[in-house]
Amino acid sequence: MPTFLRKRSIVSLLIAFTLLLGVIVATVLINARQQHDQANVQRSLDIELRLAHVFSLVQDAETGQRGFLLTEKESYLLPYEAAVRELDAEFAALGARVSDNQHRVAALAALRVDVQEKLAELRKTIELVRDGRMEDALEEVRSDRGQALMRRAREAVQRMSAAEQQILVERQAYSAGAAALTRTGEILALLLAIALGALTIKDSQRLFAKIADANEALRVANTKVLEESQQKERLEQQLRQSQKLEAIGHLTGGIAHDFNNMLAVIISSLNLLKRRAERGEKDFLKFADSALDGAERAAMLTHRLLAFARQQPLSPQAVDCNKFVAGMSDLLRRTLGEMVKVETVLAGGLWRTFVDPSELESAVLNLAVNGRDAMPDGGRLTIETGNASLDDVYAAQHVGVPAGQYVLVTVTDTGVGMAPEVAAKAFDPFYTTKGIGKGTGLGLSQVFGFVKQSGGHVKIYSEPEQGTAIKIYLPRFFGDDTEPASSPAAAATVVPMGSPDIVVLVVEDEERMLRLASEAFHDLGYTALQADGPATALRIIAERPDISLLFTDVVMPEMSGRSLAEEALRQRPGLKVIYTTGFSRNAVIHNGVLDRDVNFLTKPFTLEQLARKVRAVLKGAE
């Protein structure tokens, strides 16, 4: 071969080798770039999916909050709590994926701020409900601030998703350009380079197909998420409305049923009493007793409703539960009968608690009666006291229960027990497993409301055919300047009478209540003056220096009973005052607890209750 041909061949080979090497190098570099682009595409897809999940979690949190606002049941907050826990992890994962792009980092930070503001709004309404400020919580919802925050979060997610879509388009365009350069190089390369280029094109086409399929899948997924979100919101609105109507119907139906029964007894008894009296017959006292019994049952029903709603006025005192339970022993044995054996297990070194003794007695008696009813053939009822400490782990597992030290009162029976689904609804108002006419379904609701209003916790442990234990945790009292209260069961049964030289001014804007209250004081032996309003009362106080006691309603149109008493005490510093009302949220009661300087008698009251309250107040003035 001629030298120049050999040289040409060598040059050609070198050129061919160089071209082939260039094609190989270019192919390797392009493949590496494509793999990098594919990783970026996957990262963009992952970012979009995580953004959609973040928005879904915010919706779950709002759903949990709405359910809790409607029902005040802590179980409805499970979606909210799960969403709060997951959101931090999702934001951390998103932060790792966008850390190489300052625009992405800024957008993610803005989204996180929107989400945190939304969660803060949800948390605020939840805390308001837990504090018993339902109206404030509803006002917060009606302000539409939550809707605006949700809209901002949705728009932020959409902006970030649109940005990721733009990045995907740019990367597709870059990949298309790289493929064109590869095809141009392949045309100029040798046949081997052309074959290699063809393979590269084939790989590129598969990659483009995958990217197109992923984009289509993402588009379909986004459409599905939006449709499901809208459908979920519609279903949740229907569910909330249905649950609201069901709860209202259940509550009003139970109240109407029980009140109608009690009103039937009162009206029938009074009608019969009137007819017997008109005929001159003397056998009518039994009808008066029946009417009084019906009225007292109606008053007890109202009291239980207020207890369940955590609105009954409490007068807490330092209580030694050992002495308290011991003082109730005789009452329990008389109430439960001979077929039930009552045992008490009193702990040594028991702490004191700070509760309303009357309400605590009512709660223990309610639990004891429920235990008796669960043992139709007799059995054993045990009341046990002890010290207890609830740690942070327990508090985290039971929403609304603060960790700390508690005084524990446990009422255990050996009765039929409860299935889990029954125990789960045991504290619901008007829910009862007893036969018709054998229970209102408010006993455990009253216990629950009283314990929660006192800052405590109540827990049911029960198994079918094994009995039931209900544990009441009452906060430990750390004060040392209060004499421990004993059980009200030991109170005297004799009605204390007054004397005519003790003058009582009765202030009541309702004419019939004014007349009846005055007659009650006359029957107890006191001299009673009447005032139909605060202005008349102040005039009488100025004219009669012999008035010893002011008995006033709290809610009146001109001024409240508290304002009247303050003005009367300014004129007569030694005057004793007793307030009375059927329901008052803030005049003499704050956070469900009576003010320390208040003597209070809840309407309706019996003659015996009035006599004892007046005697106690006047005796304290001696």
Side-chain angles (χ1 to χ4, degrees):
M1 180 182 292
T3 303
F4 77 96
L5 290 176
R6 190 165 57 249
K7 290 182 178 179
R8 182 185 297 174
S9 177
I10 293 172
V11 170
S12 297
L13 288 175
L14 289 174
I15 292 173
F17 180 79
T18 302
L19 289 173
L20 181 58
L21 182 62
V23 170
I24 293 172
V25 171
T27 301
V28 170
L29 292 176
I30 290 173
N31 281 336
R33 179 65 185 185
Q34 288 175 338
Q35 291 176 359
H36 181 264
D37 288 343
Q38 185 176 11
N40 285 334
V41 168
Q42 293 297 330
R43 181 169 60 176
S44 294
L45 293 175
D46 183 59
I47 289 172
E48 290 201 59
L49 290 175
R50 287 186 179 275
L51 286 171
H53 186 51
V54 164
F55 187 72
S56 177
L57 288 174
V58 175
Q59 289 180 319
D60 288 345
E62 189 176 57
T63 298
Q65 177 246 17
R66 298 300 189 215
F68 179 68
L69 288 183
L70 289 173
T71 65
E72 297 188 42
K73 292 183 177 180
E74 297 289 345
S75 60
Y76 278 77
L77 289 178
L78 293 178
Y80 165 81
E81 295 166 349
V84 171
R85 289 193 300 269
E86 288 186 43
L87 278 170
D88 286 339
E90 286 297 322
F91 275 112
L94 283 169
R97 284 160 176 75
V98 304
S99 59
D100 60 338
N101 187 303
Q102 293 301 319
H103 295 292
R104 284 172 162 178
V105 171
L108 181 61
L111 174 60
R112 189 163 195 169
V113 169
D114 292 339
V115 171
Q116 289 174 343
E117 290 182 3
K118 178 60 183 175
L119 293 179
E121 182 264 339
L122 297 177
R123 185 166 56 252
K124 178 180 178 182
T125 59
I126 291 170
E127 293 302 327
L128 287 173
V129 174
R130 286 174 174 167
D131 291 341
R133 298 166 59 189
M134 173 61 76
E135 190 58 35
D136 294 340
L138 293 176
E139 190 62 30
E140 180 70 17
V141 173
R142 296 190 194 103
S143 70
D144 291 336
R145 179 171 174 268
Q147 183 180 9
L149 291 173
M150 182 63 80
R151 182 171 59 253
R152 282 169 48 190
R154 182 185 293 108
E155 291 171 355
V157 169
Q158 290 174 346
R159 286 196 299 272
M160 293 188 70
S161 296
E164 291 301 323
Q165 286 287 343
Q166 181 62 34
I167 292 173
L168 283 175
V169 171
E170 292 174 359
R171 285 171 178 160
Q172 287 176 334
Y174 183 87
S175 296
L181 289 175
T182 302
R183 287 192 294 270
T184 302
E186 290 168 353
I187 294 173
L188 299 175
L190 297 173
L191 293 176
L192 293 176
I194 293 173
L196 185 60
L199 182 60
T200 303
I201 293 173
K202 189 175 181 179
D203 290 340
S204 297
Q205 289 174 340
R206 284 199 299 268
L207 176 60
F208 295 151
K210 289 181 179 179
I211 294 174
D213 291 344
N215 285 337
E216 179 63 19
L218 181 60
R219 186 189 66 78
V220 172
N222 284 338
T223 302
K224 185 177 180 180
V225 167
L226 289 176
E227 292 176 350
E228 289 179 349
S229 175
Q230 293 171 355
Q231 178 67 12
K232 183 179 180 181
E233 186 173 353
R234 288 193 294 270
L235 291 175
E236 286 173 352
Q237 290 176 350
Q238 295 173 3
L239 176 62
R240 286 194 293 268
Q241 183 67 15
S242 174
Q243 290 174 337
K244 184 190 299 182
L245 293 175
E246 181 180 359
I248 293 173
H250 187 62
L251 183 61
T252 55
I255 295 173
H257 174 269
D258 290 334
F259 263 113
N260 280 337
N261 285 341
M262 296 165 190
L263 289 174
V265 171
I266 296 171
I267 293 172
S268 298
S269 298
L270 291 177
N271 282 335
L272 290 170
L273 186 152
K274 182 179 179 182
R275 290 175 63 86
R276 294 284 179 93
E278 288 174 347
R279 292 199 299 262
E281 300 180 17
K282 298 182 180 180
D283 184 22
F284 53 74
L285 288 181
K286 59 183 180 182
F287 300 117
D289 292 337
S290 295
L292 184 59
D293 180 69
E296 289 175 350
R297 288 177 179 270
M300 180 56 67
L301 177 60
T302 304
H303 175 77
R304 288 182 171 182
L305 287 170
L306 290 175
F308 168 72
R310 308 179 203 177
Q311 298 294 343
Q312 89 274 31
L314 298 180
S315 181
Q317 304 175 38
V319 174
D320 182 336
C321 285
N322 279 347
K323 295 181 180 179
F324 190 90
V325 171
M328 287 188 65
S329 297
D330 291 340
L331 172 65
L332 290 172
R333 291 187 176 92
R334 290 195 305 270
T335 302
L336 304 182
E338 296 180 355
M339 295 182 65
V340 177
K341 182 180 180 182
V342 179
E343 296 181 352
T344 58
V345 181
L346 307 180
L350 187 68
W351 300 325
R352 288 187 296 167
T353 184
F354 195 63
V355 295
D356 188 318
S358 297
E359 294 299 328
L360 178 58
E361 180 183 78
S362 178
V364 174
L365 191 58
N366 262 322
L367 297 180
V369 170
N370 277 354
R372 178 201 64 189
D373 294 342
M375 300 182 290
D377 299 325
R380 184 174 66 256
L381 184 88
T382 305
I383 303 178
E384 184 177 359
T385 63
N387 297 327
S389 295
L390 301 182
D391 57 21
D392 293 331
V393 176
Y394 186 92
Q397 295 172 348
H398 298 76
V399 179
V401 180
Q405 294 179 329
Y406 291 83
V407 175
L408 176 62
V409 179
T410 306
V411 179
T412 306
D413 65 67
T414 58
V416 296
M418 291 182 279
E421 61 272 15
V422 174
K425 295 188 287 187
F427 292 122
D428 291 352
F430 294 104
Y431 177 79
T432 179
T433 58
K434 301 176 183 178
I436 297 176
K438 294 185 178 180
T440 63
L442 280 174
L444 288 180
S445 302
Q446 178 186 5
V447 173
F448 180 84
F450 155 66
V451 173
K452 287 298 182 182
Q453 189 176 353
S454 300
H457 172 55
V458 60
K459 187 74 172 177
I460 293 180
Y461 298 90
S462 185
E463 293 184 17
E465 308 305 327
Q466 299 298 318
T468 301
I470 299 183
K471 297 189 173 185
I472 297 177
Y473 295 85
L474 299 170
R476 178 183 179 182
F477 176 63
F478 290 93
D480 56 2
D481 57 347
T482 305
E483 183 68 23
S486 60
S487 168
T493 58
V494 178
V495 178
M497 300 298 291
S499 60
D501 61 318
I502 299 177
V503 180
V504 180
L505 176 60
V506 181
V507 186
E508 173 67 62
D509 61 320
E510 208 286 318
E511 182 181 355
R512 287 171 296 182
M513 190 64 207
L514 175 63
R515 184 174 65 253
L516 290 173
S518 300
E519 290 294 336
F521 277 105
H522 282 304
D523 277 6
L524 292 174
Y526 298 98
T527 297
L529 305 178
Q530 298 182 19
D532 59 2
T536 304
L538 291 174
R539 178 177 54 79
I540 295 175
I541 290 173
E543 297 172 352
R544 294 290 300 265
D546 57 338
I547 295 175
S548 302
L549 176 67
L550 173 65
F551 185 80
T552 178
D553 188 19
V554 175
V555 181
M556 292 183 289
E558 298 176 17
M559 68 170 67
S560 70
R562 186 61 183 261
S563 299
L564 168 63
E566 290 173 351
E567 178 61 25
L569 288 171
R570 188 182 66 81
Q571 299 180 20
R572 297 274 305 281
L575 186 65
K576 306 304 292 184
V577 181
I578 296 179
Y579 298 95
T580 182
T581 187
F583 178 66
S584 176
R585 291 185 63 90
N586 52 21
V588 295
I589 304 168
H590 296 87
N591 298 320
V593 178
L594 287 172
D595 296 342
R596 293 184 65 88
D597 61 339
V598 166
N599 298 308
F600 184 79
L601 187 61
T602 304
K603 293 179 183 177
F605 49 81
T606 65
L607 194 65
E608 291 80 2
Q609 292 170 334
L610 176 64
R612 293 195 184 98
K613 175 60 71 172
V614 172
R615 171 58 61 88
V617 172
L618 293 177
K619 186 177 180 181
E622 295 176 358

